[in-house]
């Protein structure tokens, strides 16, 4: 839970006939993102006529609406929500994700270790030590961009992306960590894998605003959860 005090006024821009983008200072920052999620929640709880969907990102919220229904101005929309957003309490879900960091699931851990000057064990411990906020979904459906990663683990993207990264791979780059929802090419450093599917009943496992904690599991637990992911709630 986090209370939002003295919210900086965002800027609003009409980016399409049926879309407005609200922007705060450009940064990857937890406080800024909580302001994004606060406005998102405020609109969802008290939608204006014609509202259709919100898409949160690091420091922006894109608001989609039916222009045939919405007849107000951007300025009046800002005034409608600015005061209430300043008072909102945003509660993201707390989600634990099991990760197996065994070498077969961490093909980039040796290279990351050499580049960072840290042992593989130290990298794993630092990765587990943080609680990450889901800033946005993108790149692939359900791919969560999460931060902030420890400054000790900051790496640029790989100079040569991997041709095929398995689904469930947990990876790092910059001050972010993410999970590949499906097998795909990728340029992040893969340091583990989760057995949990990133989609259930066509819904993504994680949503912007969620808080994620990674928990290490061994290969036996990984194999069990791969077959029966619902068992994770009992482990």
């Amino acid at each position: 839970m986090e209370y939002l005090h003295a919210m900086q006024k965002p800027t609003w821009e009409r980016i399409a006939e049926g879309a407005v983008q609200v922007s705060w200072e450009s940064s990857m920052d937890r406080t800024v993102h909580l302001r994004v999620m606060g406005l998102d929640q405020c609109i969802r709880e008290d939608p204006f006529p014609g509202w259709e969907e919100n898409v949160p990102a690091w420091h922006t919220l894109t608001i989609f609406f039916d222009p045939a229904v919405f007849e107000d101005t951007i300025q009046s929309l800002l005034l409608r929500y600015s005061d209430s957003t300043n008072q909102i309490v945003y509660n993201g879900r707390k989600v634990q994700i099991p990760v197996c960091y065994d070498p077969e699931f961490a093909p980039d851990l040796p290279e990351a270790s050499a580049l960072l000057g840290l042992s593989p064990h130290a990298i794993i411990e630092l990765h587990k030590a943080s609680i990450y906020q889901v800033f946005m979904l993108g790149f692939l459906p359900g791919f969560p961009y999460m931060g902030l990663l420890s400054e000790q683990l900051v790496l640029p993207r790989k100079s040569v992306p991997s041709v095929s990264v398995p689904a469930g791979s947990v990876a790092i780059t910059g001050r972010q960590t993410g999970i590949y929802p499906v097998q795909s090419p990728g340029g992040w450093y893969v340091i583990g894998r989760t057995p949990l599917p990133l989609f259930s009943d066509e819904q993504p496992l994680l949503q912007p605003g969620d808080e994620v904690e990674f928990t290490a599991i061994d290969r036996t637990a990984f194999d069990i959860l791969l077959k029966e992911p619902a068992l994770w709630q009992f482990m």
Side-chain angles (χ1 to χ4, degrees), residues 33-34 36-37 40 44 54-58 60-61 90-93 133-138 143-146 204-211:
H33 191 253
L34 283 172
V36 173
M37 297 309 302
D40 173 65
R44 291 179 187 277
N54 292 337
V55 178
W58 289 294
T60 63
L61 181 70
Y90 181 76
N91 289 292
R93 296 185 307 157
Q133 185 167 343
V134 179
F135 288 123
M136 62 177 288
L137 304 180
F143 183 101
Y145 288 83
M146 298 179 281
L205 174 65
L206 300 172
Q207 295 286 351
D210 288 348
E211 292 186 341

Side-chain angles (χ1 to χ4, degrees), residues 159-180:
S159 58
V160 179
S162 300
V163 174
S164 179
V165 178
S169 292
V170 177
I172 60 175
T173 193
R175 294 206 63 189
Q176 297 181 93
T177 186
I179 307 172
Y180 287 79

Side-chain angles (χ1 to χ4, degrees), residues 99 118 160 185 198 220:
V99 180
L118 296 170
V160 179
L198 269 288
T220 299

Side-chain angles (χ1 to χ4, degrees), residues 99-110 124 164-170 190-194 217-223 226:
V99 180
C100 184
Y101 294 96
D102 283 8
E104 65 178 301
F105 296 143
D108 299 322
L109 194 52
I124 293 168
S164 179
V165 178
S169 292
V170 177
V190 176
I191 63 170
R193 192 181 304 175
T194 180
I217 58 172
D218 59 22
R219 179 57 192 269
T220 299
F222 180 93
D223 290 338
L226 191 63

